[in-house]
Amino acid sequence: MARHLLLLSSAALLLGPLVWMVSLSLKPPGEIFRASFSLLPEQWYAAENYMRALTVAPLPRFLSNGVIVCLTILLCQILICAPIAYALAKLQFRGRDAIFALVLVGLLLPHQVLALPLFVLCWKLGILDSYAALVLPFIVSPFGIFLFRQFFKSTSDDLMHAARLDGYSELGIVFQIMLPLARPAVIAFSILSITSHWNDLFWPLIAIRTEELMPPALGVITFRNEEAGSDYGPLMAGAAIILAPLLIAFLAAQRWFVEGLMLGSTK
Amino acid sequence: MASISLDGIGKSFGRTRVLKRISLDIRDGEFLTLVGPSGCGKSTLLRIIAGLELQDEGSVRIGDRAVDGLPPKARDVAMVFQSYALYPHMTVERNMAVPLVMRRLGALQRMPLVGRLAPGTERMRASIAADVRKVALALGIEPLLARKPGQLSGGQRQRVAVGRAMVRQPAVFLMDEPLSNLDAKLRVSMRAEIKELHAKLGVTFVYVTHDQAEAMTLSDRVDLMIDGELVQIAPPQVLYNDPDHVNVAAFVGSPSINLVQATALSEWLASAVRWAGDAGNLDGVTIGFRPERLSICNEGTAGSIAGRIRLVEHLGADRYVHIDIARTERPLIVRTHPHDGPDLAPGATIALQAEPKDMLVFDAAGRRLRKRPCDATEILIARSSA
Ligand SMILES: Nc1ncnc2c1ncn2[C@@H]1O[C@H](COP(=O)(O)OP(=O)(O)OP(=O)(O)O)[C@@H](O)[C@H]1O
Ligand SMILES: [Mg+2]
C-alpha cells in the first residue's frame, strides 16, 4: 500500500506539469492568469489556441526538422555504434580494454562540456547553421556502444563462429545476426536517442540561427519570444503538439523499451 | 572429400598451453573421434581446423592444400556446434539456406529489394530452396521449415544444425558434441543416424564427444587427448584391448576397467609384475583388469586371490559382482553370466582369478608396460603354491 502511494505521488509529480500544460492550452487568455484554479476551462478555447500555434509559427516546419535530424542521428548512431560495440564485445585486439575505458569516460561526460570545442569544430568545417551541425556532434554515442556491447557479449561465440563458417563477413555478422538479435536493445536505444535529441535545446541554440532549420524545442522558444509574447495559450498548444509524437512512439514501443533496459540486469 | 593433416599444432591462451604440438593425419572419408576430459583442448583443435581460431604454431592441410591463411568460409568445412548455434531470428528454412545464399549469390543479389532485380536471382533462389527442401526431406524436418529455432525441440534443432551443415556438401564435417544436449534414448537413435549419414556422404568426419559409446560405435579411429596432447589414436577395438595409457584404458569400457595398485596385489601378482618396475619396484604401478577378464572361483583355488562379495547387480544378460579384496579402496567389478560359477550372495567369501595375458600394466606415469614376463603363468603358479 505504502509502495503504491509512493508510486502514485511520484507519478503525479512527474505528470503534473504535463497535465497543466495541456490544460492551459485549452483556455482563453483571460482564464490563464486567474487566481482560482481549475483544470478544465470555463470557456473552451482549444481550437483557437491550436490553430494559432500551427499558423503563426512554422510549427510543421519545426516538426519536420525534428524528424529529419533525429532520424539521421539515430541511423548514424546505429551504423557507427554497432560495429564498435561488436569489436569491443567479441574481437580480440590490443588496446581493447583501454578503448572500452574511454567509452565509459565518454558516458560520464555531459554534452555541455563539449559544446565549445564542438562549436569551434563545426565552425572550422563551415557547417554551422545547417542540419550537419545538428547531426555531426551526436553520431558517436558512448551510451549506444555500451548498451550494444553488453547485449552482444551475452550472445554465444558459437553463433558468431557459425556465421563465419557460413560465409558472413564481420560487418555482415554485425548487421544481419547481432543487430536483429539485439532488437530490444535497439528499440530502447532508439527511444532514448530520439527523445533526447527531439527535446534538445542547448546545442541547437548554439549551432542554429536560421528559423527554417530549427528543431521543435528551439522553435517553440523563439516562437514565444517573437510571436506569442505572453500569449501562453498558443505557446502551450505548440508545446503539446511537439510532445505528442514522442508520447505516441513511446507508448507503442513500451514493452521492448523495458525489456531492453532490463537486459543487463537479469543476465 | 578431403584428408586432413595437422602438423605440430600448438596453441596457448595467455599463459596456458592448450595444445602441445599436435600432429595427426586423418584419411579421406574417415570417421575420427576426439575424446578426452573436459578442458583438454578438443574444441580448440576443432576450431583451429575450421579456421575459427588461429594456431600459434604448426600448419593445417585440408585435401592437398595448406589452409593456414584461409578464412573459415574458404576451407570447405562445415561444423555442428554443441549449442547448435542456429540463428534464432530466422526460420529453419532460412537457417539452412544461409550457407548456400552466401556462396551462390553475389553481394548485390543478396540485397533485400534490389537483389530481386539482378539477373538470375530468382532462379538461384529457387534452386537454393529446392536444395534445402531435399536435405530437409532426407532428415525428416521438412514440416518444420517455416518455424523458428525457438519453436523446436532439442532433437529437431540438432537435425536442423546437421541440415545446415549438409546443404552445401562440404568436404569435411566437424561436430562438437552434437548429441550431448539430448536425452539418452534420442542420443542412441541419433547416433545411428549420424553413422548412416557418414556412410551415405562418405566425407571426412571429425567428431568430439564425451560419450564413450558414441566414440566406440561411430568411429573408424578414436583419438584420446589429455592436457593438449594426443595419447593414443587407434580403432576402438585396439583402444579397448591394447591401450597405451591408463587413461585410455579408463575411458573405454563399461563398466570401466578395474585399476588396482600393484602394491595391493603384491602377494598375488608380484612376480607377474616384477618385470614392470625396476627390480621389482611396484610403487605407482597400476594393474588393470577388464571386468569380463576376471573370473570367480572357489576359495583356495591355486593362483587366486580371496575376496568378499559386496554387491551383486543383475542386468538381465549380465551380472556385475562387486568384490572387496584386501588393501584396495574400491571393489573390483566382475562381469559374469547369471548362471555361471558358484552361487553368489553378498557377504560370501570367494576367490578371483585372472590370466596374466589379460592384465594391463601401467607405470607410475600411466604409460603402458608391454614387456611380457618370460612365462607369467609359471610364475603365478609358482607363487601361489609357494
Ligand atoms: N577463448 C579462450 N580464451 C582463453 N582460454 C580458452 C579459450 N577457449 C578455450 N580456452 C581454454 O582452453 C582449454 C581448452 O578448451 P576447449 O574448449 O578446447 O576444451 P574441450 O576439450 O573442448 O572441453 P569440453 O570437453 O569441456 O568441451 C580450457 O582450459 C579453456 O579454459
Ligand atoms: Mg568443447
Side-chain angles (χ1 to χ4, degrees):
Chain A
M1 198 57 212
R3 198 162 38 166
H4 282 136
L5 271 180
L6 199 69
L7 279 174
L8 276 178
S9 54
S10 52
L13 211 59
L14 287 172
L15 286 177
L18 192 72
V19 173
W20 204 343
M21 176 188 84
V22 174
S23 149
L24 287 179
S25 75
L26 303 175
K27 293 178 179 177
E31 276 184 52
I32 289 178
F33 292 105
R34 195 175 288 173
S36 67
F37 176 81
S38 92
L39 271 183
L40 291 177
E42 280 166 24
Q43 179 200 352
W44 284 83
Y45 207 66
E48 291 82 347
N49 281 341
Y50 281 85
M51 263 330 260
R52 258 204 95 200
L54 282 170
T55 48
V56 170
L59 208 52
R61 175 82 205 193
F62 297 153
L63 289 176
S64 68
N65 285 343
V67 171
I68 293 171
V69 168
C70 287
L71 289 185
T72 316
I73 290 177
L74 181 64
L75 194 71
C76 294
Q77 280 177 332
I78 291 176
L79 287 179
I80 292 173
C81 294
I84 297 177
Y86 171 75
L88 290 175
K90 291 289 186 190
L91 304 183
Q92 314 280 339
F93 55 93
R94 193 180 298 237
R96 182 180 73 170
D97 295 343
I99 293 177
F100 184 57
L102 286 180
V103 171
L104 293 180
V105 171
L107 207 54
L108 298 176
L109 280 184
H111 207 265
Q112 284 76 350
V113 173
L114 300 173
L116 195 59
L118 280 173
F119 179 77
V120 175
L121 179 74
C122 290
W123 177 68
K124 293 248 177 199
L125 292 175
I127 56 171
L128 279 178
D129 207 16
S130 72
Y131 282 145
L134 287 177
V135 171
L136 190 69
F138 301 103
I139 57 175
V140 181
S141 157
F143 178 68
I145 296 174
F146 178 75
L147 189 69
F148 290 156
R149 173 187 176 270
Q150 297 311 95
F151 201 105
F152 294 167
K153 236 185 149 46
S154 72
T155 62
S156 93
D157 280 355
D158 282 352
L159 206 59
M160 172 178 77
H161 288 153
R164 284 191 188 144
L165 273 169
D166 282 346
Y168 280 108
S169 64
E170 295 300 295
L171 282 180
I173 294 176
V174 176
F175 291 110
Q176 286 174 280
I177 308 290
M178 292 289 176
L179 263 191
L181 287 182
R183 195 173 68 171
V186 173
I187 290 174
F189 175 71
S190 303
I191 289 179
L192 289 175
S193 164
I194 288 177
T195 45
S196 73
H197 296 116
W198 186 268
N199 294 330
D200 190 18
L201 179 62
F202 185 79
W203 177 250
L205 201 54
I206 295 173
I208 296 295
R209 283 267 148 72
T210 320
E211 202 181 65
E212 280 80 62
L213 296 176
M214 287 180 176
L218 180 58
V220 168
I221 293 292
T222 31
F223 169 52
R224 187 193 71 177
N225 295 339
E226 291 167 10
E227 318 281 346
S230 55
D231 200 354
Y232 283 100
L235 185 64
M236 290 301 117
I241 290 172
I242 68 164
L243 258 182
L246 286 188
L247 277 179
I248 293 167
F250 178 78
L251 290 178
Q254 192 182 22
R255 186 165 62 89
W256 293 300
F257 181 65
V258 175
E259 206 177 303
L261 288 187
M262 294 287 283
L263 237 133
S265 59
T266 52
K267 284 224 164 132
Chain B
M1 284 192 221
S3 56
I4 302 172
S5 149
L6 307 178
D7 182 23
I9 298 290
K11 176 75 185 172
S12 304
F13 287 114
R15 290 268 165 67
T16 30
R17 279 196 87 190
V18 176
L19 297 176
K20 298 166 188 160
R21 301 191 59 80
I22 292 209
S23 296
L24 173 62
D25 283 307
I26 305 168
R27 291 187 295 271
D28 185 13
E30 181 169 13
F31 197 118
L32 182 96
T33 303
L34 289 174
V35 298
S38 197
C40 71
K42 307 179 296 287
S43 300
T44 307
L45 188 62
L46 222 52
R47 286 201 293 269
I48 286 176
I49 297 175
L52 296 167
E53 198 102 62
L54 287 183
Q55 68 271 31
D56 300 335
E57 51 179 333
S59 77
V60 181
R61 299 181 69 83
I62 296 178
D64 46 14
R65 54 183 188 153
V67 294
D68 298 312
L70 293 182
K73 66 176 170 197
R75 294 191 177 194
D76 206 11
V77 302
M79 190 155 170
V80 177
F81 296 88
Q82 182 175 2
S83 61
Y84 309 141
L86 300 174
Y87 308 120
H89 57 299
M90 299 181 191
T91 60
V92 168
E93 179 164 21
R94 273 192 69 201
N95 261 287
M96 289 173 63
V98 160
L100 297 180
V101 169
M102 298 307 289
R103 278 174 177 69
R104 295 193 195 159
L105 297 185
L108 185 67
Q109 290 174 308
R110 288 202 299 269
M111 307 254 289
L113 288 172
V114 193
R116 301 247 163 234
L117 304 174
T121 311
E122 288 297 329
R123 209 182 53 240
M124 290 283 225
R125 292 238 175 227
S127 87
I128 289 173
D131 287 356
V132 166
R133 195 155 293 270
K134 207 165 67 191
V135 171
L137 271 175
L139 290 172
I141 49 174
E142 207 231 3
L144 310 176
L145 283 180
R147 294 209 207 157
K148 297 246 174 93
Q151 303 163 314
L152 302 179
S153 73
Q156 292 168 333
R157 269 179 232 178
Q158 199 273 344
R159 277 164 205 262
V160 175
V162 170
R164 184 175 64 177
M166 263 171 75
V167 276
R168 61 171 221 250
Q169 304 176 331
V172 174
F173 260 97
L174 306 173
M175 298 195 164
D176 195 351
E177 307 190 33
L179 305 186
S180 63
N181 288 331
L182 306 181
D183 69 54
K185 210 166 159 188
L186 193 54
R187 211 183 296 177
V188 173
S189 67
M190 289 306 292
R191 195 167 84 197
E193 287 189 24
I194 286 184
K195 183 144 184 121
E196 277 173 27
L197 187 69
H198 175 244
K200 197 169 80 187
L201 300 177
V203 302
T204 314
F205 273 56
V206 184
Y207 188 96
V208 171
T209 183
H210 272 124
D211 183 322
Q212 55 144 319
E214 279 171 35
M216 301 298 276
T217 53
L218 288 173
S219 330
D220 295 322
R221 282 192 301 167
V222 178
D223 167 359
L224 188 84
M225 278 177 74
I226 291 171
D227 278 346
E229 280 174 297
L230 300 189
V231 183
Q232 187 173 6
I233 312 175
Q237 276 314 310
V238 175
L239 226 50
Y240 185 83
N241 292 324
D242 195 14
D244 282 344
H245 194 278
V246 67
N247 290 323
V248 180
F251 180 80
V252 293
S254 171
S256 57
I257 193 167
N258 298 297
L259 292 170
V260 189
Q261 293 300 314
T263 45
L265 298 177
S266 52
E267 283 166 31
W268 181 33
L269 299 168
S271 40
V273 295
R274 174 140 301 149
W275 49 269
D278 291 335
N281 180 8
L282 295 182
D283 287 344
V285 170
T286 308
I287 302 185
F289 306 92
R290 291 282 174 203
E292 66 277 11
R293 300 294 184 190
L294 284 170
S295 58
I296 296 173
C297 55
N298 289 320
E299 215 185 341
T301 311
S304 67
I305 186 168
R308 175 186 290 272
I309 297 178
R310 184 197 277 200
L311 180 69
V312 181
E313 292 177 300
H314 292 278
L315 280 98
D318 283 323
R319 187 171 54 169
Y320 298 159
V321 188
H322 299 235
I323 297 171
D324 285 316
I325 60 172
R327 289 195 285 149
T328 57
E329 289 159 31
R330 276 181 295 154
L332 303 186
I333 299 178
V334 182
R335 177 189 216 146
T336 62
H337 291 293
H339 305 295
D340 278 3
D343 196 23
L344 301 177
T349 319
I350 44 85
L352 283 177
Q353 269 181 322
E355 295 280 327
K357 70 171 171 50
D358 291 332
M359 295 189 290
L360 304 171
V361 183
F362 304 95
D363 73 8
R367 278 185 300 269
R368 175 82 180 280
L369 296 168
R370 290 178 192 279
K371 205 169 69 176
R372 293 255 167 231
C374 44
D375 191 348
T377 326
E378 269 175 26
I379 298 173
L380 263 185
I381 291 169
R383 279 295 296 186
S384 53
S385 53

